[in-house]
Amino acid sequence: MKHALRNALIPFITLVGLAVPELFGGAIITETIFSWAGMGRLYYDAIMASDWPLLQALLVILAFLVIASNLLADVLYAVVDPRIRYG
């Protein structure tokens, strides 16, 4: 169980690491459809109002989330599989 689980975690880490930014992309659609207040609705309202500074700030936040989730996935690869070394 120990050896199989460690090898099976690598694809799972990949899927979870890529799904985190997709959750925020899906929030734009969900919050717009159901009129919920949140970052997705704020992003949509900024697009409709051509609020460029707010759009730039939200894009920077989304870019940071993508980079942070990819970095976390890479670190977890090294934790799960000792054969993976960086550097």
Side-chain angles (χ1 to χ4, degrees):
M1 186 68 168
K2 175 183 170 185
H3 299 291
L5 182 63
R6 289 176 74 92
N7 287 328
L9 279 177
I10 293 174
F12 179 74
I13 291 170
T14 303
L15 289 175
V16 171
L18 295 176
V20 171
E22 290 175 5
L23 289 173
F24 289 93
I28 296 170
I29 297 168
T30 305
E31 291 175 4
T32 302
I33 290 173
F34 294 110
S35 296
W36 293 341
M39 281 187 63
R41 181 66 184 192
L42 179 66
Y43 190 76
Y44 178 77
D45 290 340
I47 290 172
M48 291 297 129
S50 296
D51 189 358
W52 297 111
L54 182 58
L55 286 171
Q56 289 175 345
L58 290 172
L59 280 174
V60 167
I61 291 169
L62 288 174
F64 176 75
L65 287 172
V66 169
I67 292 170
S69 66
N70 283 334
L71 179 65
L72 181 65
D74 285 343
V75 169
L76 287 176
Y77 287 152
V79 170
V80 170
D81 192 357
R83 296 174 296 174
I84 299 173
R85 283 188 237 139
Y86 299 109

XYZ file of all heavy atoms in Angstrom:
674
model
N 0.830 -1.199 0.000
C 0.000 0.000 0.000
C 0.872 1.259 0.000
O 0.571 2.221 -0.681
C -0.919 -0.045 1.227
C -1.912 1.050 1.265
S -3.086 0.825 -0.053
C -4.298 1.971 0.401
N 1.928 1.241 0.779
C 2.798 2.413 0.895
C 3.432 2.771 -0.455
O 3.440 3.931 -0.856
C 3.877 2.145 1.935
C 4.899 3.226 2.060
C 5.971 2.838 3.056
C 7.129 3.802 3.005
N 8.217 3.391 3.861
N 3.940 1.773 -1.155
C 4.637 2.042 -2.412
C 3.666 2.429 -3.522
O 3.958 3.308 -4.331
C 5.452 0.817 -2.814
C 6.487 0.447 -1.807
N 7.595 1.219 -1.572
C 6.573 -0.608 -0.944
C 8.331 0.662 -0.623
N 7.728 -0.449 -0.215
N 2.521 1.784 -3.559
C 1.543 2.092 -4.608
C 0.925 3.470 -4.389
O 0.691 4.208 -5.345
C 0.463 1.027 -4.640
N 0.669 3.817 -3.140
C 0.043 5.111 -2.866
C 0.963 6.265 -3.241
O 0.511 7.250 -3.819
C -0.341 5.205 -1.387
C -1.041 6.483 -0.961
C -2.374 6.611 -1.690
C -1.242 6.508 0.530
N 2.244 6.129 -2.950
C 3.177 7.209 -3.282
C 3.249 7.420 -4.785
O 3.313 8.555 -5.261
C 4.548 6.902 -2.703
C 4.590 7.011 -1.202
C 5.937 6.605 -0.633
N 6.961 7.600 -0.860
C 7.257 8.575 -0.016
N 6.589 8.681 1.100
N 8.213 9.427 -0.291
N 3.241 6.339 -5.557
C 3.284 6.480 -7.016
C 1.958 6.977 -7.572
O 1.930 7.667 -8.590
C 3.654 5.146 -7.664
C 5.106 4.801 -7.455
O 5.950 5.687 -7.384
N 5.397 3.522 -7.346
N 0.870 6.636 -6.930
C -0.441 7.074 -7.407
C -0.713 8.536 -7.063
O -1.591 9.155 -7.661
C -1.524 6.200 -6.808
N 0.015 9.100 -6.117
C -0.209 10.491 -5.739
C 0.318 11.487 -6.769
O -0.159 12.614 -6.830
C 0.451 10.779 -4.385
C -0.330 10.354 -3.160
C 0.479 10.631 -1.904
C -1.651 11.066 -3.092
N 1.267 11.086 -7.590
C 1.860 12.033 -8.548
C 0.825 12.549 -9.542
O 0.703 13.771 -9.729
C 3.080 11.401 -9.227
C 4.181 11.195 -8.171
C 3.597 12.284 -10.354
C 5.380 10.444 -8.665
N 0.033 11.707 -10.220
C -1.004 12.270 -11.107
C -2.077 13.045 -10.353
O -2.607 14.039 -10.864
C -1.614 11.050 -11.790
C -0.686 9.933 -11.553
C 0.113 10.256 -10.351
N -2.387 12.612 -9.135
C -3.378 13.325 -8.330
C -2.893 14.737 -7.999
O -3.660 15.698 -8.083
C -3.663 12.537 -7.048
C -4.659 13.208 -6.150
C -5.998 13.222 -6.475
C -4.244 13.849 -4.997
C -6.918 13.861 -5.657
C -5.155 14.480 -4.175
C -6.501 14.486 -4.503
N -1.628 14.883 -7.652
C -1.057 16.203 -7.357
C -1.113 17.081 -8.606
O -1.413 18.272 -8.529
C 0.382 16.062 -6.832
C 0.376 15.432 -5.442
C 1.087 17.408 -6.796
C 1.752 15.036 -4.937
N -0.845 16.489 -9.764
C -0.914 17.247 -11.015
C -2.327 17.773 -11.259
O -2.512 18.949 -11.590
C -0.486 16.360 -12.194
O 0.821 15.870 -11.954
C -0.507 17.140 -13.492
N -3.317 16.917 -11.087
C -4.704 17.340 -11.319
C -5.144 18.406 -10.328
O -5.798 19.383 -10.706
C -5.633 16.135 -11.241
C -5.526 15.151 -12.391
C -6.405 13.932 -12.132
C -5.904 15.812 -13.688
N -4.805 18.249 -9.062
C -5.205 19.235 -8.057
C -4.476 20.551 -8.281
O -5.061 21.633 -8.160
C -4.964 18.687 -6.633
C -5.156 19.769 -5.596
C -5.883 17.516 -6.365
N -3.193 20.485 -8.626
C -2.422 21.702 -8.874
C -2.955 22.512 -10.042
O -2.913 23.742 -10.036
N -3.479 21.824 -11.057
C -4.044 22.532 -12.209
C -5.489 22.944 -11.987
O -5.995 23.833 -12.670
C -3.940 21.649 -13.456
C -2.529 21.334 -13.940
C -2.579 20.368 -15.109
C -1.795 22.601 -14.323
N -6.169 22.305 -11.053
C -7.582 22.606 -10.823
C -7.790 23.875 -10.001
O -8.850 24.501 -10.095
C -8.257 21.434 -10.129
N -6.808 24.258 -9.207
C -6.970 25.444 -8.358
C -7.212 26.705 -9.195
O -8.168 27.439 -8.934
C -5.763 25.601 -7.407
C -5.799 26.934 -6.690
C -5.724 24.458 -6.411
N -6.412 26.994 -10.216
C -6.725 28.184 -11.034
C -8.041 28.052 -11.797
O -8.727 29.043 -12.027
C -5.549 28.276 -12.006
C -4.465 27.515 -11.375
C -5.114 26.438 -10.581
N -8.413 26.830 -12.182
C -9.678 26.636 -12.892
C -10.871 26.955 -12.003
O -11.921 27.388 -12.495
C -9.790 25.202 -13.388
C -8.837 24.877 -14.514
C -8.877 23.422 -14.911
O -9.726 22.676 -14.375
O -8.071 23.034 -15.758
N -10.747 26.751 -10.710
C -11.834 27.090 -9.792
C -12.137 28.586 -9.816
O -13.293 28.999 -9.777
C -11.478 26.666 -8.367
C -11.473 25.171 -8.095
C -10.945 24.906 -6.694
C -12.857 24.607 -8.249
N -11.095 29.392 -9.893
C -11.307 30.838 -9.935
C -11.836 31.282 -11.290
O -12.594 32.246 -11.378
C -10.021 31.573 -9.577
C -9.674 31.455 -8.132
C -8.839 30.459 -7.681
C -10.219 32.327 -7.206
C -8.535 30.333 -6.338
C -9.930 32.215 -5.867
C -9.082 31.210 -5.432
N -11.452 30.593 -12.359
C -12.024 30.882 -13.666
C -13.493 30.512 -13.728
O -14.303 31.225 -14.319
N -13.855 29.406 -13.115
C -15.253 28.993 -13.066
C -16.089 29.884 -12.175
O -17.312 29.983 -12.344
N -15.447 30.541 -11.215
C -16.177 31.444 -10.327
C -16.745 32.631 -11.101
O -17.815 33.141 -10.749
C -15.267 31.936 -9.209
N -16.069 33.041 -12.144
C -16.566 34.159 -12.951
C -17.910 33.790 -13.568
O -18.871 34.568 -13.504
C -15.536 34.527 -14.044
C -14.249 35.038 -13.403
C -16.103 35.565 -15.001
C -13.102 35.188 -14.373
N -17.998 32.600 -14.117
C -19.237 32.168 -14.752
C -20.328 31.938 -13.704
O -21.463 32.407 -13.852
C -18.985 30.887 -15.572
C -17.997 31.188 -16.695
C -20.273 30.326 -16.125
C -17.444 29.976 -17.381
N -19.984 31.221 -12.647
C -20.984 30.879 -11.627
C -21.530 32.117 -10.937
O -22.750 32.251 -10.763
C -20.359 29.942 -10.575
O -19.817 28.810 -11.240
C -21.382 29.494 -9.557
N -20.662 33.023 -10.544
C -21.113 34.215 -9.823
C -21.883 35.162 -10.723
O -22.758 35.888 -10.253
C -19.916 34.918 -9.187
C -19.308 34.108 -8.049
C -18.059 34.726 -7.481
O -17.684 35.838 -7.905
O -17.442 34.092 -6.602
N -21.579 35.158 -12.008
C -22.326 36.002 -12.935
C -23.732 35.439 -13.160
O -24.709 36.187 -13.148
C -21.584 36.110 -14.277
O -20.276 36.633 -14.036
C -22.313 37.028 -15.228
N -23.831 34.139 -13.330
C -25.141 33.520 -13.585
C -26.070 33.662 -12.379
O -27.240 34.020 -12.514
C -24.974 32.039 -13.967
C -24.334 31.942 -15.346
C -26.307 31.307 -13.944
C -23.962 30.531 -15.755
N -25.550 33.383 -11.176
C -26.390 33.394 -9.980
C -26.385 34.720 -9.220
O -26.974 34.825 -8.158
C -25.962 32.260 -9.040
C -26.213 30.898 -9.618
C -25.160 30.099 -10.012
C -27.511 30.435 -9.778
C -25.380 28.845 -10.550
C -27.742 29.181 -10.315
C -26.675 28.386 -10.712
N -25.701 35.729 -9.756
C -25.624 37.072 -9.150
C -25.109 37.035 -7.714
O -25.623 37.709 -6.825
C -26.990 37.763 -9.190
O -27.383 37.976 -10.520
N -24.088 36.222 -7.486
C -23.439 36.177 -6.182
C -22.316 37.211 -6.146
O -21.665 37.476 -7.142
C -22.829 34.805 -5.916
C -23.822 33.702 -5.761
C -25.147 33.823 -5.479
C -23.569 32.309 -5.897
N -25.734 32.589 -5.417
C -24.789 31.645 -5.670
C -22.447 31.561 -6.181
C -24.885 30.259 -5.721
C -22.550 30.193 -6.232
C -23.764 29.554 -5.995
N -22.100 37.784 -4.992
C -21.000 38.732 -4.834
C -19.714 37.957 -4.580
O -19.674 37.050 -3.751
C -21.275 39.674 -3.674
N -18.687 38.299 -5.320
C -17.399 37.630 -5.159
C -16.410 38.163 -6.180
O -16.688 39.118 -6.909
N -15.243 37.526 -6.220
C -14.216 37.979 -7.153
C -14.631 37.777 -8.605
O -14.284 38.586 -9.470
C -12.896 37.255 -6.887
C -12.135 37.810 -5.717
S -10.501 37.100 -5.537
C -9.708 37.617 -7.026
N -15.351 36.708 -8.887
C -15.801 36.465 -10.256
C -16.763 37.529 -10.741
O -16.666 38.024 -11.866
N -17.696 37.895 -9.890
C -18.661 38.949 -10.248
C -17.957 40.298 -10.360
O -18.267 41.103 -11.239
C -19.770 38.993 -9.190
C -20.832 40.004 -9.463
C -21.609 39.654 -10.707
N -22.556 40.711 -10.978
C -23.523 40.604 -11.836
N -23.685 39.503 -12.508
N -24.342 41.599 -12.023
N -16.992 40.545 -9.473
C -16.219 41.781 -9.537
C -15.458 41.864 -10.851
O -15.402 42.920 -11.491
C -15.255 41.859 -8.349
C -14.357 43.075 -8.261
C -15.184 44.337 -8.022
C -13.326 42.889 -7.167
N -14.883 40.747 -11.274
C -14.149 40.699 -12.536
C -15.086 40.978 -13.712
O -14.759 41.754 -14.613
C -13.490 39.328 -12.677
C -12.511 39.223 -13.801
C -11.243 39.786 -13.708
C -12.831 38.543 -14.973
C -10.334 39.694 -14.737
C -11.922 38.442 -16.007
C -10.670 39.020 -15.879
O -9.781 38.922 -16.907
N -16.261 40.373 -13.695
C -17.232 40.586 -14.763
C -17.693 42.048 -14.808
O -17.777 42.643 -15.884
C -18.433 39.654 -14.567
C -19.515 39.842 -15.587
C -19.378 39.334 -16.872
C -20.679 40.543 -15.282
C -20.369 39.514 -17.815
C -21.667 40.724 -16.217
C -21.504 40.205 -17.479
O -22.479 40.398 -18.422
N -17.992 42.620 -13.647
C -18.420 44.021 -13.599
C -17.311 44.952 -14.079
O -17.580 45.966 -14.730
C -18.853 44.401 -12.182
C -20.153 43.726 -11.787
O -20.902 43.284 -12.691
O -20.408 43.624 -10.566
N -16.061 44.616 -13.762
C -14.939 45.443 -14.215
C -14.794 45.367 -15.738
O -14.453 46.364 -16.383
C -13.652 45.007 -13.527
N -15.036 44.201 -16.306
C -14.983 44.065 -17.766
C -16.075 44.909 -18.410
O -15.830 45.634 -19.384
C -15.123 42.585 -18.184
C -13.883 41.805 -17.804
C -15.387 42.463 -19.682
C -14.003 40.314 -18.007
N -17.299 44.836 -17.878
C -18.409 45.598 -18.448
C -18.219 47.100 -18.299
O -18.662 47.869 -19.151
C -19.726 45.172 -17.791
C -20.172 43.784 -18.143
S -20.492 43.667 -19.906
C -19.556 42.234 -20.321
N -17.537 47.545 -17.252
C -17.326 48.969 -17.017
C -15.989 49.465 -17.582
O -15.676 50.640 -17.465
C -17.384 49.263 -15.527
N -15.213 48.575 -18.189
C -13.867 48.903 -18.695
C -13.001 49.534 -17.611
O -12.305 50.521 -17.840
C -13.951 49.828 -19.907
O -14.603 49.177 -20.963
N -13.017 48.950 -16.454
C -12.207 49.415 -15.322
C -10.837 48.740 -15.411
O -10.587 47.694 -14.826
C -12.901 49.066 -14.005
C -12.243 49.705 -12.804
O -11.231 50.394 -12.985
O -12.762 49.501 -11.687
N -9.925 49.357 -16.171
C -8.634 48.740 -16.471
C -7.750 48.519 -15.251
O -7.125 47.452 -15.149
C -7.908 49.547 -17.542
C -8.665 49.565 -18.828
C -9.291 50.625 -19.402
C -8.930 48.443 -19.678
N -9.919 50.247 -20.548
C -9.705 48.911 -20.749
C -8.588 47.098 -19.635
C -10.139 48.074 -21.769
C -9.016 46.263 -20.649
C -9.785 46.761 -21.700
N -7.643 49.460 -14.316
C -6.807 49.179 -13.139
C -7.302 47.980 -12.321
O -6.506 47.167 -11.853
C -6.875 50.468 -12.325
C -7.196 51.529 -13.314
C -8.073 50.871 -14.334
N -8.614 47.859 -12.165
C -9.158 46.717 -11.425
C -8.932 45.419 -12.195
O -8.577 44.395 -11.594
C -10.652 46.920 -11.162
C -11.349 45.836 -10.367
C -10.702 45.656 -9.003
C -12.816 46.151 -10.222
N -9.107 45.441 -13.508
C -8.844 44.249 -14.312
C -7.388 43.815 -14.205
O -7.089 42.628 -14.088
C -9.203 44.511 -15.777
C -10.681 44.554 -16.109
C -10.896 45.029 -17.526
C -11.287 43.193 -15.901
N -6.474 44.781 -14.235
C -5.057 44.453 -14.104
C -4.746 43.857 -12.737
O -3.991 42.885 -12.632
C -4.201 45.693 -14.342
C -4.183 46.140 -15.778
C -3.435 47.446 -15.973
O -3.163 48.175 -15.017
N -3.096 47.744 -17.214
N -5.343 44.401 -11.700
C -5.115 43.873 -10.355
C -5.650 42.447 -10.227
O -4.981 41.573 -9.660
C -5.769 44.775 -9.316
N -6.833 42.190 -10.759
C -7.395 40.853 -10.689
C -6.592 39.857 -11.522
O -6.421 38.698 -11.126
C -8.856 40.864 -11.126
C -9.814 41.557 -10.153
C -11.194 41.695 -10.767
C -9.885 40.808 -8.844
N -6.082 40.286 -12.663
C -5.237 39.406 -13.463
C -3.933 39.076 -12.753
O -3.437 37.948 -12.844
C -4.956 40.033 -14.825
C -6.072 39.894 -15.838
C -5.750 40.668 -17.110
C -6.315 38.442 -16.167
N -3.370 40.046 -12.039
C -2.157 39.778 -11.270
C -2.440 38.774 -10.161
O -1.654 37.854 -9.910
C -1.567 41.096 -10.693
C -0.513 40.824 -9.649
C -0.994 41.930 -11.812
N -3.586 38.908 -9.507
C -3.964 37.959 -8.455
C -4.145 36.562 -9.041
O -3.656 35.568 -8.476
C -5.243 38.435 -7.733
C -4.941 39.683 -6.909
C -5.800 37.336 -6.841
C -6.171 40.371 -6.374
N -4.835 36.451 -10.174
C -5.019 35.148 -10.809
C -3.692 34.554 -11.275
O -3.464 33.349 -11.150
C -5.991 35.264 -11.978
C -7.452 35.480 -11.613
C -8.290 35.714 -12.855
C -7.982 34.313 -10.818
N -2.809 35.392 -11.803
C -1.493 34.902 -12.219
C -0.698 34.405 -11.019
O -0.015 33.376 -11.099
C -0.731 36.003 -12.947
N -0.788 35.123 -9.903
C -0.103 34.683 -8.683
C -0.654 33.333 -8.216
O 0.112 32.455 -7.792
C -0.244 35.730 -7.585
C 0.348 35.288 -6.279
C 1.713 35.277 -6.100
C -0.464 34.864 -5.244
C 2.272 34.853 -4.905
C 0.067 34.436 -4.054
C 1.449 34.432 -3.872
N -1.961 33.146 -8.297
C -2.560 31.868 -7.898
C -2.092 30.726 -8.784
O -1.838 29.617 -8.301
C -4.077 31.967 -7.923
C -4.707 32.785 -6.804
C -6.194 32.963 -7.063
C -4.487 32.127 -5.469
N -1.962 30.973 -10.072
C -1.474 29.945 -10.989
C -0.035 29.578 -10.645
O 0.316 28.394 -10.542
C -1.583 30.424 -12.448
C -0.844 29.494 -13.389
C -3.033 30.537 -12.857
N 0.806 30.578 -10.447
C 2.207 30.323 -10.122
C 2.339 29.630 -8.774
O 3.116 28.679 -8.621
C 3.007 31.641 -10.161
C 3.094 32.147 -11.593
C 4.402 31.451 -9.577
C 3.640 33.540 -11.730
N 1.570 30.075 -7.781
C 1.648 29.468 -6.449
C 1.169 28.021 -6.466
O 1.789 27.157 -5.829
C 0.834 30.290 -5.453
N 0.099 27.725 -7.207
C -0.383 26.340 -7.244
C 0.585 25.439 -7.997
O 0.798 24.289 -7.606
C -1.777 26.271 -7.858
O -1.740 26.647 -9.210
N 1.216 25.942 -9.053
C 2.224 25.149 -9.756
C 3.461 24.924 -8.894
O 4.033 23.829 -8.903
C 2.617 25.821 -11.068
C 1.578 25.634 -12.134
O 0.826 24.685 -12.117
N 1.528 26.562 -13.070
N 3.863 25.932 -8.147
C 5.008 25.780 -7.253
C 4.701 24.773 -6.151
O 5.542 23.917 -5.832
C 5.385 27.130 -6.639
C 6.552 27.117 -5.655
C 7.835 26.721 -6.367
C 6.706 28.463 -5.000
N 3.505 24.847 -5.592
C 3.115 23.895 -4.559
C 3.081 22.470 -5.113
O 3.530 21.525 -4.451
C 1.752 24.272 -3.985
C 1.227 23.379 -2.881
C 2.130 23.475 -1.648
C -0.194 23.753 -2.528
N 2.584 22.302 -6.329
C 2.568 20.978 -6.946
C 3.991 20.455 -7.151
O 4.269 19.279 -6.894
C 1.823 21.024 -8.274
N 4.907 21.309 -7.589
C 6.295 20.891 -7.782
C 6.954 20.493 -6.469
O 7.704 19.510 -6.413
C 7.098 22.002 -8.446
C 6.781 22.144 -9.922
O 6.200 21.193 -10.495
O 7.108 23.195 -10.502
N 6.686 21.231 -5.419
C 7.253 20.888 -4.112
C 6.673 19.568 -3.613
O 7.404 18.730 -3.064
C 7.006 22.039 -3.105
C 7.336 21.611 -1.699
C 7.816 23.262 -3.501
N 5.386 19.375 -3.825
C 4.772 18.114 -3.402
C 5.295 16.929 -4.205
O 5.365 15.812 -3.687
C 3.258 18.207 -3.501
C 2.584 19.068 -2.439
C 1.092 19.171 -2.709
C 2.833 18.526 -1.053
N 5.673 17.136 -5.481
C 6.295 16.065 -6.248
C 7.553 15.572 -5.552
O 7.786 14.375 -5.438
C 6.697 16.533 -7.643
C 5.584 16.756 -8.616
C 5.730 17.679 -9.626
C 4.397 16.055 -8.546
C 4.727 17.902 -10.543
C 3.386 16.271 -9.453
C 3.565 17.194 -10.452
O 2.565 17.418 -11.349
N 8.384 16.511 -5.112
C 9.641 16.145 -4.455
C 9.395 15.468 -3.109
O 10.164 14.603 -2.698
C 10.514 17.377 -4.274
N 8.329 15.838 -2.422
C 8.009 15.210 -1.139
C 7.518 13.787 -1.349
O 7.922 12.857 -0.638
C 6.943 16.040 -0.379
C 6.416 15.290 0.823
C 7.525 17.375 0.035
N 6.656 13.589 -2.357
C 6.060 12.279 -2.587
C 7.064 11.301 -3.209
O 7.139 10.154 -2.813
C 4.810 12.412 -3.482
C 4.310 11.077 -3.948
C 3.728 13.149 -2.729
N 7.830 11.756 -4.195
C 8.759 10.886 -4.895
C 10.196 11.349 -4.642
O 10.613 12.376 -5.171
C 8.451 10.912 -6.381
C 9.164 9.829 -7.156
O 9.950 9.074 -6.549
O 8.923 9.727 -8.378
N 10.967 10.615 -3.860
C 12.332 11.060 -3.549
C 13.278 11.017 -4.753
O 14.358 11.594 -4.701
C 12.788 10.089 -2.451
C 11.882 8.927 -2.531
C 10.602 9.403 -3.163
N 12.869 10.355 -5.840
C 13.731 10.338 -7.025
C 13.754 11.688 -7.727
O 14.673 11.982 -8.478
C 13.240 9.274 -8.011
C 13.342 7.864 -7.465
C 12.713 6.890 -8.419
N 11.281 7.195 -8.523
C 10.453 6.610 -9.359
N 10.906 5.688 -10.192
N 9.179 6.910 -9.380
N 12.754 12.503 -7.488
C 12.661 13.817 -8.114
C 13.477 14.795 -7.294
O 13.234 14.993 -6.106
C 11.202 14.284 -8.232
C 10.408 13.315 -9.092
C 11.129 15.694 -8.790
C 8.934 13.601 -9.137
N 14.475 15.397 -7.945
C 15.305 16.394 -7.277
C 15.383 17.635 -8.149
O 15.446 17.546 -9.359
C 16.724 15.850 -7.063
C 16.795 14.879 -5.928
C 18.218 14.521 -5.637
N 18.297 13.060 -5.756
C 19.278 12.405 -6.311
N 20.298 13.045 -6.825
N 19.259 11.092 -6.360
N 15.366 18.773 -7.511
C 15.472 20.043 -8.225
C 16.820 20.661 -7.905
O 17.209 20.753 -6.765
C 14.350 20.999 -7.833
C 12.983 20.467 -8.159
C 12.108 20.063 -7.163
C 12.572 20.351 -9.472
C 10.859 19.574 -7.453
C 11.319 19.852 -9.784
C 10.474 19.472 -8.771
O 9.239 18.981 -9.067
N 17.481 21.133 -8.915
C 18.661 21.908 -8.621
C 19.888 21.386 -9.172
O 20.957 21.655 -9.086
